[in-house]
Amino acid sequence: KREAYELLRVREYALFTPREGGRSRLEGYRRGMDGRFAPWLPDEQGRLWSETLELYLTVRGPLLQAQTAEGRLL
C-alpha cells in the first residue's frame, strides 16, 4: 500500500491493529519536508493528531476513535 500512498501523494497515514484481549496498537507515518514518509509520533496520551482531519486518532480498547481538539469523542 505504501507505493499507492506515494502515487496518491498522501500526506499522512495511520496503521491500527486492534486486539480484543490485549493492547491495541496505533502507529502512523507523515510526509516530511523532504517528501519522504517518517514516523508520526504520538502525544503523551498515545494519540495521533491528524493535520489533515484536524482530529486526534485515539485507541479505546479494541476500537480506533476520532477525538476533537477539545477532547470530544466522535
Side-chain angles (χ1 to χ4, degrees):
K1 287 189 177 184
R2 192 166 179 155
E3 285 182 33
Y5 297 152
E6 289 286 351
L7 291 171
L8 295 169
R9 304 296 300 159
V10 169
R11 291 186 281 171
E12 57 189 28
Y13 69 93
L15 302 168
F16 177 62
T17 306
R19 296 224 164 80
E20 191 69 44
R23 187 177 174 103
S24 296
R25 183 175 172 170
L26 176 62
E27 59 184 308
Y29 297 89
R30 274 200 168 131
R31 197 174 294 279
M33 296 301 255
D34 62 0
R36 296 180 186 191
F37 283 113
W40 178 3
L41 301 176
D43 68 4
E44 63 280 346
Q45 296 176 41
R47 305 173 302 178
L48 296 176
W49 173 254
S50 172
E51 294 173 1
T52 302
L53 300 173
E54 295 185 354
L55 293 168
Y56 285 106
L57 301 177
T58 186
V59 176
R60 299 280 188 220
L63 301 175
L64 178 65
Q65 288 189 278
Q67 186 178 33
T68 66
E70 295 77 30
R72 186 171 57 98
L73 289 171
L74 304 178

